[in-house]
Each structure stands twice: as C-alpha cells, then as structure tokens.
Amino acid sequence: MANYGKWLAGGLGWVLGGPIGGLMGFVAGTLFDNMEAGNEVQSQPGFGHTTTNGDFAVSLLILSAAVMKADGKVLKSELDYVKSFFKQQFGVAVTRQKMLMLRDILKKEYSLQDVCSQIRHNMQLPLRLQLLHYLFGIAMADGYAHPNEVGVIRTIAGYLSISQQDFESIKAMFVKDNKSAYRILEITPDASNDEVKKAYRKMAIKYHPDKVGHLGEDLMKAANEKFQQLNAAYDAIKKERGIN
C-alpha cells in the first residue's frame, strides 16, 4: 500500500503541475500510506482541476500554515479557527482529512513565492482579496496580530499581486486605529467629501459579496461580513464629517 501511495502522489503532481500539484501529491501519498496503518481517510474532491473548491482549500492550507508559523508557535486558537472554517465550508468528514494535511504541511517549508504564483494564475482578484481576509482572521484568532504574522501576510499579498492599498485596506479591518476607516476606503483623512463618496463606490464594487458567490454560501457570508465593515467605515466617516 505504501508503494501505491507514492505512485498516486507522483500522478497527482503530474496532473496538477506546479508547487501545489507537488504538495498535493506528497500529502495524498501520506494519506494513502496512513490507510495502510488503519486510519480512515475520506476521498478528496478537486484533484486535477486547479480552479475547483477542493484545490482552493489546499491553497488555503498552504498559506494558513505560513501565517500560523510566522511568530514561532502554532496556537490552538489558530488551529480552531482553521478547523471551524473548513467545517463550515466542507463538512466534518473532509475537514478531518484537511487537518491531517495541515499537520504535514506545518512540518515542512515551501516557497511562498512559487505557491502564490500558481494561486495568482488560477484565482481572480476578488477571491485573492477574500483569501487575505481569511489569513488576517488566523492572525487575529488569539486577539492579537503579531508583527511577524502581518509581515507574512504582506509578503503573500505582494506575491498574489495585491496592491499595497488593498493590503492596507484589509489590514485596517482587523488592526484598528483612529485612521482605520479611511484606510479601509483606501483614502487619507485629508480627502474631500466628494473623494470619500467616490472611494466608497469604488470599494463597494470591489468587495461586493457577489464577487465570490460562485464559491459557496459560506465564503459569500464571509465576504458579506467584510462588506458590512466597509459600510461601517463609510458611515463613521460620514458621521464625523456630517455628510448626508
């Protein structure tokens, strides 16, 4: 059975190609070899198609591990956050498998640039932005975003071709200060009222939940929560300035 696992691993890596394919191959081989020891492993959806929800989940695992390890320790609150997300998105059975995958991923180092390059070529910008929200959720799972975690997310954002403005906007939704509302709208406090309104309309289009609706109800729900934060930031600025 161990040999079969290694054969399947190579096959999956060939089908998918790139670093994600190689990683999925390694993990699949590990999972099938674990079956030989009597551990139950559920079948994995999404192999062989780089735009499916299954492969999106693997992308999340890779980047999740990078953020979780950034401060030199993996916290239970972070594991619980990831596990809760996957339960909502994929159900209990698949989540059990994903957590086994995450365990193996956490033990190894991968080229973030290579992995992000493959993700970038297979995910549209709205999804990449939503992915950044998810990573900040991991960083804030214990109530505090460590500078090293923020630094890793910043690096990932760069590799994913997410602009500095977009990064600062998303960061401001999690790491709050007295200028957060303006950063969420990607403007500065000296912007005119017309510029504030224009910025809100632009951001409302960019972050509308419909942008990720095809990925499932749970991701759309998460996107809606961030859309509400955008609206809250705009309302705060309007109240501060007396804008109707």
Side-chain angles (χ1 to χ4, degrees):
M1 188 63 174
N3 289 335
Y4 176 73
K6 293 176 182 177
W7 172 83
L8 179 60
L12 289 172
W14 179 82
V15 170
L16 284 172
I20 295 178
L23 172 60
M24 290 181 71
F26 163 76
V27 174
T30 300
L31 291 175
F32 274 83
D33 289 346
N34 283 343
M35 290 177 65
E36 186 179 37
N39 298 324
E40 179 182 358
V41 178
Q42 300 294 326
S43 61
Q44 166 65 32
F47 284 153
H49 301 279
T50 55
T51 56
T52 65
N53 278 358
D55 297 335
F56 175 64
V58 175
S59 302
L60 288 180
L61 289 178
I62 299 168
L63 301 188
S64 298
V67 175
M68 293 166 73
K69 295 190 295 183
D71 60 356
K73 54 188 177 182
V74 176
L75 302 177
K76 183 178 183 299
S77 57
E78 296 168 341
L79 289 168
D80 288 344
Y81 181 92
V82 175
K83 187 174 182 179
S84 175
F85 175 87
F86 275 87
K87 277 185 178 179
Q88 292 178 1
Q89 185 67 19
F90 300 101
V92 174
V94 173
T95 297
R96 188 180 301 115
Q97 178 189 351
K98 300 299 185 188
M99 293 303 101
L100 286 173
M101 296 173 73
L102 179 59
R103 182 192 64 186
D104 287 329
I105 291 169
L106 285 166
K107 294 176 183 177
K108 295 185 176 293
E109 297 294 332
Y110 301 95
S111 169
L112 275 182
Q113 185 170 8
D114 289 345
V115 172
C116 288
S117 177
Q118 188 169 358
I119 293 171
R120 186 179 68 248
H121 284 95
N122 287 283
M123 292 182 181
Q124 295 180 346
L125 179 61
L127 179 53
R128 281 179 270 142
L129 294 175
Q130 187 61 30
L131 192 155
L132 224 59
H133 285 287
Y134 165 79
L135 295 178
F136 267 110
I138 295 175
M140 289 294 295
D142 62 346
Y144 169 69
H146 191 282
N148 289 352
E149 295 172 328
V150 175
V152 167
I153 298 173
R154 186 188 300 274
T155 297
I156 290 171
Y159 289 154
L160 293 176
S161 295
I162 292 174
S163 70
Q164 181 67 19
Q165 275 191 319
D166 280 338
F167 171 81
E168 292 295 341
S169 173
I170 295 170
K171 176 187 172 186
M173 295 184 183
F174 295 87
V175 183
K176 303 289 187 179
D177 59 33
N178 58 1
K179 296 180 181 179
S180 294
Y182 288 96
R183 277 200 286 269
I184 289 173
L185 266 63
E186 298 185 357
I187 54 176
T188 58
D190 60 358
S192 68
N193 288 351
D194 285 342
E195 288 172 332
V196 169
K197 294 176 181 178
K198 183 178 179 180
Y200 170 73
R201 289 193 294 269
K202 177 182 176 182
M203 296 297 288
I205 293 172
K206 181 186 295 185
Y207 283 102
H208 198 282
D210 286 349
K211 295 285 187 178
V212 294
H214 63 289
L215 293 170
E217 182 179 346
D218 292 305
L219 275 178
M220 190 169 183
K221 180 180 178 182
N224 187 59
E225 291 173 357
K226 303 305 177 292
F227 191 68
Q228 290 174 358
Q229 289 191 46
L230 172 64
N231 287 330
Y234 183 50
D235 289 342
I237 294 174
K238 288 196 298 181
K239 183 177 180 180
E240 173 189 319
R241 296 181 172 216
I243 301 175
N244 295 324

